[in-house]
Amino acid sequence: MSDTSSVKRARNVVLVHGAYADGSSWSDVIPILQRAGLTVTAVQNPLTSLADDVAATNRALNRQDGPTVLAGHSWAGTIISEAGNHPTVTALVYVAARAPDAGEDYAALAAKFPTPPANAGLVHHDGYAQLSENAFLSDFAGGVDEARARALYAVQGPIADDLFTGRTTTAAWRDRPCYYSISTQDRTTAPELERFLADRMNATTIEVESSHLAMVTHPEAIADLILMATAGTRGPA
């Protein structure tokens, strides 16, 4: 991983949502970053394949004018690991996110850690999958205000049944400074797995007492981590 001391200050942030969500999952973080003077773009992933999601992210990156921090939540960690070597990207921010190595079988890696409860809540239909209402509210969006959680459930993005089988061809976290937010109460991705991934990439790491949706329950903490990345610092932004 590169030394953050040599990173240019970024003026743009591209936010990438994960599975079972859409770009509105970042809506609490966006105004904080905008007040800091940053240009913010939230990608809307089709969630149909890794290639399709990476293409959507690259289109957003191509529109940026200058240095850009790329942040991903959950499944989007795979996306930013593949797209993160884009020439505009100065740093990567992972929020309770996957971070596979190039060509790695992520499912096999995850199987070495505790199975999160949300896994049991997947419902399949017509080649796509979503979380059941109970799994979404209890496991995915735990700790989120009920009305907000139900709104997020209503906009839940269905994922292709084979979405998670896509493998990356590169691991941008090996070449870019990385920042990682671990959700200690996560019931969608095992916190132990998150810690492993953060350690493996030698990321600047914070731990948030949150469910999987830390950017909803703790937007200030996630925004602060992104601001650190835009400044290229290891300490407070």
Side-chain angles (χ1 to χ4, degrees):
M1 188 192 71
S2 303
D3 182 357
T4 52
S5 63
S6 63
V7 173
K8 294 180 180 178
R9 180 177 289 271
R11 57 177 178 266
N12 309 302
V13 176
V14 171
L15 304 170
V16 191
H17 69 83
Y20 324 124
D22 74 350
S24 68
S25 58
W26 291 102
S27 60
D28 298 278
V29 171
I30 290 170
I32 301 173
L33 300 178
Q34 290 174 330
R35 286 195 296 269
L38 297 168
T39 298
V40 185
T41 301
V43 176
Q44 295 288 4
N45 289 317
L47 301 175
T48 46
S49 70
L50 174 59
D52 290 345
D53 290 352
V54 169
T57 298
N58 277 326
R59 286 193 294 271
L61 290 171
N62 290 340
R63 297 195 302 270
Q64 305 308 305
D65 179 20
T68 301
V69 165
L70 182 59
H73 171 247
S74 192
W75 157 250
T78 300
I79 301 168
I80 71 172
S81 294
E82 181 73 10
N85 285 324
H86 190 284
T88 64
V89 174
T90 58
L92 302 171
V93 179
Y94 292 79
V95 180
R98 300 176 175 222
D101 207 344
E104 184 171 46
D105 183 341
Y106 184 83
L109 172 65
K112 298 177 181 179
F113 297 86
T115 300
N119 284 17
L122 273 179
V123 179
H124 300 267
H125 187 71
D126 290 339
Y128 287 82
Q130 290 182 290
L131 289 175
S132 68
E133 183 174 11
N134 182 65
F136 190 98
L137 299 178
S138 300
D139 300 326
F140 188 75
V144 178
D145 173 79
E146 183 178 357
R148 177 70 188 286
R150 289 188 179 280
L152 290 168
Y153 173 72
V155 299
Q156 176 185 182
I159 69 167
D161 278 338
D162 60 355
L163 180 68
F164 296 151
T165 64
R167 296 196 188 186
T168 56
T169 62
T170 187
W173 50 264
R174 291 192 175 277
D175 302 308
R176 295 290 190 273
C178 295
Y179 299 76
Y180 200 110
S181 174
I182 296 165
S183 291
T184 63
Q185 306 302 311
D186 205 321
R187 292 171 60 85
T188 303
T189 299
E192 297 90 341
L193 174 56
E194 295 175 19
R195 292 189 182 97
F196 168 83
L197 297 171
D199 288 345
R200 183 169 71 169
M201 66 174 68
N202 192 29
T204 297
T205 303
I206 63 171
E207 294 205 1
V208 181
E209 191 173 345
S210 171
S211 68
H212 198 54
L213 289 177
M215 66 277 208
V216 178
T217 59
H218 294 74
E220 295 87 358
I222 302 306
D224 284 347
L225 187 65
I226 293 171
L227 289 171
M228 287 171 58
T230 64
T233 61
R234 293 284 193 176

